[in-house]
Amino acid sequence: MSPALDHAQPVFRALADPTRCAIVKLLAEQDLRVGDIAAHFKMTRPAVAKHLAVLKSADVIRVSQAGRERINSLNPAALKAASDWLNYFDHFWDDRLAALKSAVEADA
């Protein structure tokens, strides 16, 4: 039985946008402030902040306070739910491809 999609669904929604995927990639390398993230994109800081809010609501990132600064960091545990769901299909394809191989070899 596959892992529950309901835990992974918010993560998939958050990662459906290429900008948010790029932000996740940046945060996989290091924790960053909003301004540091915005420097990588041709959009305003408020636009980046909206993307960060979506990622935060899906628990993909965490935001911590360091004095007056807000530091964004990746939450790998949230990505694991999506990864577990996708990994289920690895087994599905392994089984299907093994069956196809057997069928092709039987006909040969």
Side-chain angles (χ1 to χ4, degrees), residues 56-104:
K56 185 175 186 292
S57 71
D59 203 31
V60 174
I61 66 168
R62 296 215 168 108
V63 181
S64 59
Q65 214 50 47
R68 293 180 0 168
E69 296 181 336
R70 294 169 49 93
I71 308 298
N72 299 279
S73 59
L74 186 63
N75 177 19
L79 297 176
K80 184 168 179 356
S83 175
D84 288 347
W85 191 82
L86 290 170
N87 284 336
Y88 167 77
F89 294 98
D90 281 343
H91 300 296
F92 170 82
W93 283 111
D94 289 344
D95 293 345
R96 296 288 188 213
L97 291 174
L100 176 62
K101 179 182 177 195
S102 295
V104 169

Side-chain angles (χ1 to χ4, degrees), residues 2 11 15 17 19 26 41 52 56 59 72 76 78 87 94:
S2 70
V11 176
L15 296 177
D17 182 275
T19 299
L26 287 172
F41 300 96
L52 291 170
K56 185 175 186 292
D59 203 31
N72 299 279
N87 284 336
D94 289 344

